[in-house]
Amino acid sequence: TTLIGYYFKKGSNVLKDASLGIVMTTLDNSGKKINQVYTSWSKDIAKFLGASSKGKLADIGFIYFHEFVKKADGTYYGIGEAYRKTVSAGGIATKILARAGGGTGASAFQISVKDFFIFEFDANNKLTGVENVEKSMTRVLMPNGAGIYGPQLLALLVKSIGGFDFDYAKTLNEGKTLAVFYTDYEKIKGEKNKVVCGVISHTDGKYLVDKIDLETSATFTKVLPAQDGNILFVEYFGGEKKLEMNFKKMNY
């Protein structure tokens, strides 16, 4: 069993302070620690992604890890999504957190969610590489008072309202293939914005990205796991109070 999480400076307030990095602790069947590896933002991760300060990476911001997936060969893949605090001024795709009791209660800042970063760890939990998969930016308006929160708590708030694009991850082909599914809101110059479902797959050391246009006018969409080669696409139409579900074929 491997336990994975952030680690902090002794005495830190985890609700306000940034983490120092990632710690992976492997236990045997009796619960005895047999391996523990600390991967720091400033020393280890910065080698792949640039200078780091207090968990913030140059030109990227912070990274929120959705899942860590283990492949059949014992390697781990951390699925991260970049986010940073920015001034609210409209955006490519905006999601508003409503305040209970009426009104949006939105503050003057937002969280801008951007690319995926897939962290590769060997069977000994050592970081060996980071793959950057680009996608469109999503801007998530924050409620009043959220500016005092630290980066980890802000990420949890964004996740709770569906602000990240990540849907789920799984292994296929007897654990030899990693597949990461996500929903993106793409803006193409001169064209209408569109919703796409993407899948990032990794097999034999190579990454492949496939996307399909969902072509929907639904109020809310969600991608759920399905049998290999497919996704379950869920659409909710608010005006009609109607829910539709159908399978879509993906290539990976």
Side-chain angles (χ1 to χ4, degrees):
T1 301
T2 300
L3 306 177
I4 305 172
Y6 297 110
Y7 69 95
F8 296 79
K9 184 178 179 180
K10 186 176 181 179
S12 295
N13 183 337
V14 298
L15 298 180
K16 294 182 179 180
D17 299 330
S19 69
L20 296 179
I22 307 161
V23 58
M24 303 176 72
T25 304
T26 303
L27 310 175
D28 63 17
N29 291 334
S30 67
K32 181 181 178 181
K33 182 172 65 178
I34 56 176
N35 184 36
Q36 188 170 59
V37 179
Y38 290 89
T39 303
S40 73
W41 295 110
S42 59
K43 295 181 180 179
D44 305 305
I45 298 172
K47 293 177 182 177
F48 298 96
L49 297 178
S52 170
S53 174
K54 296 182 179 180
K56 187 174 183 179
L57 298 162
D59 302 320
I60 294 174
F62 297 96
I63 293 178
Y64 177 75
F65 287 96
H66 295 283
E67 288 188 27
F68 281 80
V69 180
K70 186 178 182 180
K71 292 176 68 174
D73 60 1
T75 57
Y76 272 96
Y77 294 79
I79 317 304
E81 201 165 351
Y83 67 99
R84 64 167 65 235
K85 186 187 297 185
T86 55
V87 177
S88 177
I92 297 171
T94 304
K95 300 175 183 179
I96 301 175
L97 175 61
R99 179 175 59 188
T104 64
S107 65
F109 87 94
Q110 62 192 4
I111 296 297
S112 295
V113 177
K114 195 61 174 63
D115 296 348
F116 281 115
F117 289 88
I118 301 178
F119 287 59
E120 304 172 0
F121 298 86
D122 65 19
N124 295 314
N125 301 339
K126 180 180 179 181
L127 182 67
T128 58
V130 181
E131 179 74 10
N132 175 205
V133 179
E134 296 182 353
K135 59 182 178 63
S136 298
M137 182 182 293
T138 297
R139 294 188 172 100
V140 187
L141 297 183
M142 291 286 99
N144 283 323
I148 65 172
Y149 298 158
Q152 273 73 41
L153 195 56
L154 281 174
L156 292 176
L157 183 57
V158 172
K159 183 177 178 65
S160 71
I161 61 171
F164 287 112
D165 294 331
F166 173 85
D167 287 312
Y168 67 97
K170 63 189 295 188
T171 57
L172 306 164
N173 188 24
E174 298 181 338
K176 297 177 182 178
T177 298
L178 167 72
V180 180
F181 297 85
Y182 65 96
T183 306
D184 194 12
Y185 298 84
E186 292 191 339
K187 180 180 176 63
I188 302 175
K189 188 175 181 180
E191 298 182 18
K192 181 181 178 180
N193 294 358
K194 62 182 180 180
V195 181
V196 300
C197 177
V199 57
I200 307 162
S201 61
H202 180 269
T203 307
D204 295 330
K206 297 181 180 179
Y207 284 92
L208 174 67
V209 179
D210 181 43
K211 295 187 291 185
I212 58 172
D213 190 345
L214 297 178
E215 298 180 349
T216 179
S217 59
T219 306
F220 173 80
T221 62
K222 183 66 177 178
V223 172
L224 298 175
Q227 71 267 35
D228 291 355
N230 293 274
I231 59 168
L232 178 61
F233 181 51
V234 181
E235 301 170 279
Y236 175 71
F237 300 86
E240 305 171 58
K241 295 184 178 180
K242 179 177 66 173
L243 186 69
E244 293 186 357
M245 294 183 288
N246 59 82
F247 291 105
K248 290 186 179 293
K249 179 72 175 177
M250 299 296 293
N251 296 313
Y252 50 82

